[in-house]
Every structure is written in structure tokens, then in C-alpha cells.
Amino acid sequence: MKEILTAGIRSLDHGNVSLTLRGSAVFCSLDSNEDNDWLLRCHTRTLNAGESLVDFEDSSKDVFVVQSGEIRAVLRFSIGKEAILGTFKRGDTLGELSAIDQMARSASLMAVSDAVVTVIPYAVFHDILRQRPQVSLSLLQLLSKRIRAMNERLSELSFLDTKHRLYNTLLRLSRLRQDGSQERIISPPLVHAELAEHIGASRETVSREMSRLAREQLVERTSRAIVLKNPLELSRRISRALEG
């Protein structure tokens, strides 16, 4: 019996990554024993950078929890044209829409970096929801948060021109530096093509505007980060554009 239990515990580890469901906000109400029990009914996928997790209109209904690395949700319109819908890191849950409405995938999911993902089968996901009402509530809160974010993006597309959408995206993707200054950073830095996908513009347009911001000393790019030198000024410009 001891050997069986030990084998079960080992199955919850994947290399140097400690697997958990309750590291996700959706499943945080699970206790450690529940976490281990549900994990034993799931399986793990290891992805290389650039590898697809699911494709647009795929018929699978599994739910995913990111354990390491980064996964991106992408909507492709045509060859070379795509929009980034979201980026997911450790603790994030994704793929839940198809598990709820049983419709085909609404976006492609691909690994931006090497990643480890826990795959929660459709039946297991619904067992958790039936047995743990708090998980259902947490799922509703996640969906509400994403609807609010989608409304913000829709407003951005409706009321801001390209350069102001870029300013807004730089602010949204950045975080405060840890040195006590008011500067914000995006690290690792996104290339201009990725920023273009975020705002629905061409890489050339983004490159021109980023060069202008650099000349105005509002933005600085290093090998490790995009530094927003004066995020308050970017916010002011967005406010003026909305007022105008």
C-alpha cells in the first residue's frame, strides 16, 4: 500500500514542476487532499515553444491549467493576420468555454515558451463543478473578469486610434519597477510584431510610433525590457484622445 501511495504522489510532479490545481484562482478552494485526488484523474502535456495546444474550431472540450511557461490565445483571420486574445501563465485556467457550452474552440492556443499544462478532461471538470460549488462560483468570477476585459478592449478599438491603442497596450502589459520609481516595464520585451497583433495594426506602424516615443524619451528598449519612462504622460495622452 505504501508503494502505491508513493507512486501516486510522484505522479503529481513533472520534472521540476510541482503540479497543482489549487494554484489556480478557479480551484483555490480545494484542500490539498482534494487537489491530489483530482490531479490523479487528469494528465499532463509538455509543450515546446511554438507548439499548438488546441486549434481554432477544434472539437475537444478539455480544460487546461498552466503549470509553467506561457500559453497564448490567438485568433487568426488569414495567413499572417492574427489577434492576440490573451496570454496565460502559471496558475491560469483556460479552455473553459468549450467545456461549458460544448461548442468548438473559439481560438487557437499555442505555447509561447516551453510549457507544462495540466489537462482536465471534460467529465472530470464537470464532476468538480457538481461536487464543489465554490469552484463554480470562482469560475463565474473568472468569466466575469474576462467579460469586463473584453469590454475594455472593445471600447479601446471603438474610441482610440492606432497610436493611442499602442499607448494603452503598453500600460496594460507593463508592471511597476521594483526600484521605487514611477517607471513601468514590460519584461521580457515584446517585439513590434507582437505589439501589432495586440492592437490590430501593422508592424511598420508600431515601429514608427515606438521610434517616436523613444525620441521623446517616453519609452526605452533594452535587451531585457521595454521601459516606460513616463507612464503618466502616456495616460494623459489617452485621456485627451478620449475627451476629444
Side-chain angles (χ1 to χ4, degrees):
M1 176 66 72
K2 182 178 180 180
E3 292 178 355
I4 295 174
L5 289 174
T6 303
I9 293 172
R10 274 202 299 268
S11 72
L12 304 184
D13 296 321
H14 193 85
N16 295 323
V17 179
S18 179
L19 305 183
T20 176
L21 293 181
R22 64 179 184 154
S24 163
V26 172
F27 302 102
C28 64
S29 59
L30 300 177
D31 62 37
S32 58
N33 290 329
E34 290 173 322
D35 193 19
N36 290 340
D37 289 344
W38 288 117
L39 275 171
L40 290 173
R41 295 182 59 188
C42 303
H43 62 276
T44 303
R45 278 195 62 182
T46 301
L47 302 166
N48 296 320
E51 186 176 350
S52 175
L53 178 58
V54 295
D55 291 322
F56 176 66
E57 294 190 337
D58 189 288
S59 61
S60 64
K61 305 294 186 291
D62 299 330
V63 176
F64 310 102
V65 174
V66 182
Q67 302 291 351
S68 69
E70 188 171 311
I71 304 293
R72 179 173 292 165
V74 176
L75 186 59
R76 292 186 175 88
F77 299 98
S78 61
I79 297 176
K81 298 292 184 180
E82 58 185 34
I84 298 174
L85 302 181
T87 301
F88 303 88
K89 299 181 179 180
R90 178 170 173 80
D92 287 333
T93 301
L94 57 158
E96 72 289 335
L97 289 183
S98 291
I100 293 171
D101 61 19
Q102 301 186 49
M103 296 179 67
R105 300 291 184 182
S106 59
S108 298
L109 301 175
M110 62 168 289
V112 179
S113 62
D114 293 348
V116 175
V117 175
T118 293
V119 181
I120 308 174
Y122 171 85
V124 175
F125 180 67
H126 280 266
D127 282 347
I128 298 174
L129 295 183
R130 281 191 290 267
Q131 296 182 34
R132 297 293 275 104
Q134 183 58 45
V135 173
S136 297
L137 178 59
S138 296
L139 178 63
L140 289 174
Q141 292 170 340
L142 173 67
L143 294 175
S144 176
K145 179 180 177 181
R146 289 183 179 168
I147 290 172
R148 290 178 185 273
M150 183 177 64
N151 288 341
E152 290 177 6
R153 294 289 296 274
L154 180 60
S155 297
E156 177 184 311
L157 290 170
S158 299
F159 300 115
L160 294 177
D161 60 15
T162 302
K163 69 178 182 181
H164 291 98
R165 293 204 304 271
L166 175 61
Y167 303 164
N168 202 43
T169 296
L170 290 172
L171 291 169
R172 184 175 66 247
L173 297 178
S174 64
R175 66 178 188 275
L176 275 172
R177 300 193 81 156
Q178 300 300 312
D179 58 4
S181 71
Q182 295 303 306
E183 294 180 350
R184 300 180 68 88
I185 63 171
I186 301 173
S187 180
L190 297 180
V191 299
H192 292 173
E194 290 178 298
L195 286 171
E197 291 167 4
H198 274 280
I199 66 173
S202 68
R203 180 188 59 79
E204 292 77 13
T205 299
V206 170
S207 295
R208 284 195 298 269
E209 188 58 30
M210 289 293 286
S211 295
R212 191 170 73 83
L213 292 175
R215 290 194 299 271
E216 294 178 350
Q217 298 184 350
L218 294 176
V219 169
E220 177 185 356
R221 187 183 183 91
T222 70
S223 61
R224 302 182 63 181
I226 296 174
V227 183
L228 309 188
K229 308 292 289 182
N230 191 345
L232 184 58
E233 174 58 22
L234 294 179
S235 295
R236 287 196 191 103
R237 294 185 180 188
I238 294 170
S239 296
R240 287 197 294 268
L242 289 172
E243 291 169 359

